């Protein structure tokens, strides 16, 4: 699917600005208000910062560099990658009349990262980034800066949880002896988990990608999740599945997060199994998946993968604690289609094997489903606690 790579180079429009900066940089960029949203024209920012910039007109993806500092953005996306760190904004980067407009909060985050130790403040119709006024900053003194007027574009607390019951409708998922279907078990466990989260986690929205036996394309599941990012909050995405194996002896639960290099052949087989539904989908949404593919390159090595890995470890630890008598198969990496487009920490849990006689019987029991939901609940709650306290301490 990465067929457009060779097409891109001739279209790359490059514009360079190189300025030598004084020892004490003071950068002033204009802020423009459109529909109540504040933007900084990227050209002016690049100019003022003495940075280089390039924009790929085909992918709408651009890059800003200065020395070893790199920021990547894509028009239409509510996020930027700044020095390997994800900066989320509550509205997207825009391209308008040949100009790139960056949300003011993201522009401030970019400047603070490119010029460590500076403080960004909002003046009348501009954004000013300079060393703190009171004293000169020593090189090791890049402390957390205070922003007089709060600006969007920092890391946001987790405000919602997306629960994704695997499969549904015309896609039954894995089928076990006696005709038991994966989609039925995943929905039942997810609804129990939803109830636990809703009654125990206040101030966090819980959203299901499907709440009945309906078919949902894989890309649509992450679209639903990403749609909730608009408020400037972060979220977590948890997809619940039941595994299947050619060997009836294999049992246990495992937790996955996205990686392009699956940990082993078995993980590759599991992801092939879960990705199978792509062929059942209509082809008309191909474009959206292509965009997702372009974003992937940016995402995979960055913040989201780190957060997803932590989410996977935290949730899996609770499963291992609660689901005694069942085999823990550990945390694994795999290339699951449903995790690919996610712009938030995302995991996929395989709660047991439908092809293992004893586990199949257990998985259908309400009492065991309650335990699985309880384990997932404790895992998600523990992750939120870790995550939100890490944000607070930034
Ligand atoms: Zn599945």
């Amino acid at each position: 699917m990465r067929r457009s790579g060779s097409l891109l180079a001739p279209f790359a429009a490059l514009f360079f600005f190189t300025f030598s900066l004084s020892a004490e940089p003071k950068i002033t960029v204009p802020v423009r208000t459109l529909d109540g949203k504040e933007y900084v024209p990227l050209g002016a920012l690049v100019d003022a910062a003495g940075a280089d910039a390039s924009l790929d007109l085909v992918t709408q993806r651009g890059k800003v560099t200065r020395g070893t500092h790199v920021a990547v953005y894509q028009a239409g996306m509510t996020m930027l990658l700044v020095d390997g760190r994800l900066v989320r904004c509550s509205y997207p980067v825009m391209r308008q009349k040949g100009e790139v407009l960056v949300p003011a909060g993201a522009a401030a985050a970019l400047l603070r990262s490119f010029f460590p130790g500076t403080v960004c403040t909002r003046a009348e119709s501009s954004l000013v980034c300079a060393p703190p006024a009171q004293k000169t900053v020593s090189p090791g003194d890049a402390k957390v800066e205070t922003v007089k007027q709060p600006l969007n574009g920092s890391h946001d607390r987790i405000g919602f949880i997306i629960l994704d019951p695997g499969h549904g409708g015309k896609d039954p998922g894995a089928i076990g002896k006696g005709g038991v279907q994966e989609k039925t078990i995943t929905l039942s466990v997810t609804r129990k988990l939803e109830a636990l989260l809703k009654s125990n986690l206040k101030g966090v929205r819980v959203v299901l990608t499907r709440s009945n036996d309906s078919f949902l394309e894989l890309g649509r599941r992450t679209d639903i999740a990403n749609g909730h990012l608009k408020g400037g909050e972060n979220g977590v995405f948890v997809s619940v599945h039941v595994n299947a194996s050619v060997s009836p002896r294999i049992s246990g639960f495992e937790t996955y997060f996205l990686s392009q290099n699956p940990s082993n052949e078995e993980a590759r087989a599991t992801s092939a199994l879960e990705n199978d539904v792509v062929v059942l989908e209509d082809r008309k949404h191909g474009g959206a998946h292509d965009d997702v593919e372009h974003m992937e390159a940016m995402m995979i090595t960055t913040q989201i993968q780190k957060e997803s890995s932590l989410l996977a470890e935290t949730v899996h630890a609770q499963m291992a604690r609660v689901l005694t008598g069942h085999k823990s198969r550990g945390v694994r990496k795999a290339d699951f289609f449903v995790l690919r487009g996610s712009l938030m920490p995302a995991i996929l849990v395989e709660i047991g094997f439908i092809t293992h006689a004893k586990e199949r019987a257990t998985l259908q029991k309400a009492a065991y489903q309650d335990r699985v939901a309880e384990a997932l609940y404790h895992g998600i709650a523990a992750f939120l606690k870790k995550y939100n306290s890490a944000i607070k301490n930034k």
Side-chain angles (χ1 to χ4, degrees), residues 30-34 37-41 91-94 101-104:
V31 173
R32 210 181 291 166
T33 306
L34 290 172
K37 292 167 188 155
E38 298 189 321
Y39 294 95
V40 169
Y91 44 95
V93 175
M94 269 209 313
L101 300 174
V102 178

Side-chain angles (χ1 to χ4, degrees), residues 186-322:
T186 60
L187 182 61
S188 176
V189 169
T190 307
R191 301 228 63 157
K192 288 170 186 290
L193 173 59
E194 176 194 20
L196 279 175
L197 288 165
K198 279 187 171 165
S199 54
N200 293 300
L201 285 184
K202 301 294 172 210
V204 179
R205 299 194 308 286
V206 181
V207 182
L208 264 64
T209 55
R210 69 172 177 102
S211 50
N212 52 34
D213 182 22
S214 51
F215 178 72
L216 202 59
E217 294 178 356
L218 290 176
R220 181 79 194 110
R221 294 171 193 258
T222 39
D223 286 351
I224 291 171
N226 293 340
H228 284 265
L229 278 173
K230 280 173 192 151
E233 286 173 327
N234 200 3
V236 297
F237 181 86
V238 177
S239 193
V240 178
H241 288 257
V242 174
N243 220 334
S245 170
V246 287
S247 164
R249 281 169 303 151
I250 292 180
S251 71
F253 53 89
E254 55 202 22
T255 307
Y256 288 90
F257 65 99
L258 179 71
S259 168
Q260 294 274 282
N261 308 302
S263 10
N264 58 31
E265 276 310 309
E266 235 178 315
R268 199 185 292 272
T270 304
S271 62
L273 189 77
E274 299 294 4
N275 290 341
D276 219 27
V277 70
V278 178
V279 300
L280 294 176
E281 294 179 352
D282 301 332
R283 286 277 133 206
K284 60 176 183 275
H285 291 311
H289 295 159
D290 285 353
D291 288 346
V292 164
E293 287 225 327
H294 290 308
M295 289 305 290
E296 248 172 54
M298 289 167 57
M299 292 302 112
I300 274 162
T301 52
T302 63
Q303 194 68 21
I304 290 175
Q305 187 160 352
K306 274 189 240 158
E307 291 172 2
S308 298
S309 159
L310 178 66
L311 176 63
E313 294 288 349
T314 310
V315 168
H316 196 83
Q318 292 302 315
M319 298 222 297
R321 184 181 67 84
V322 175

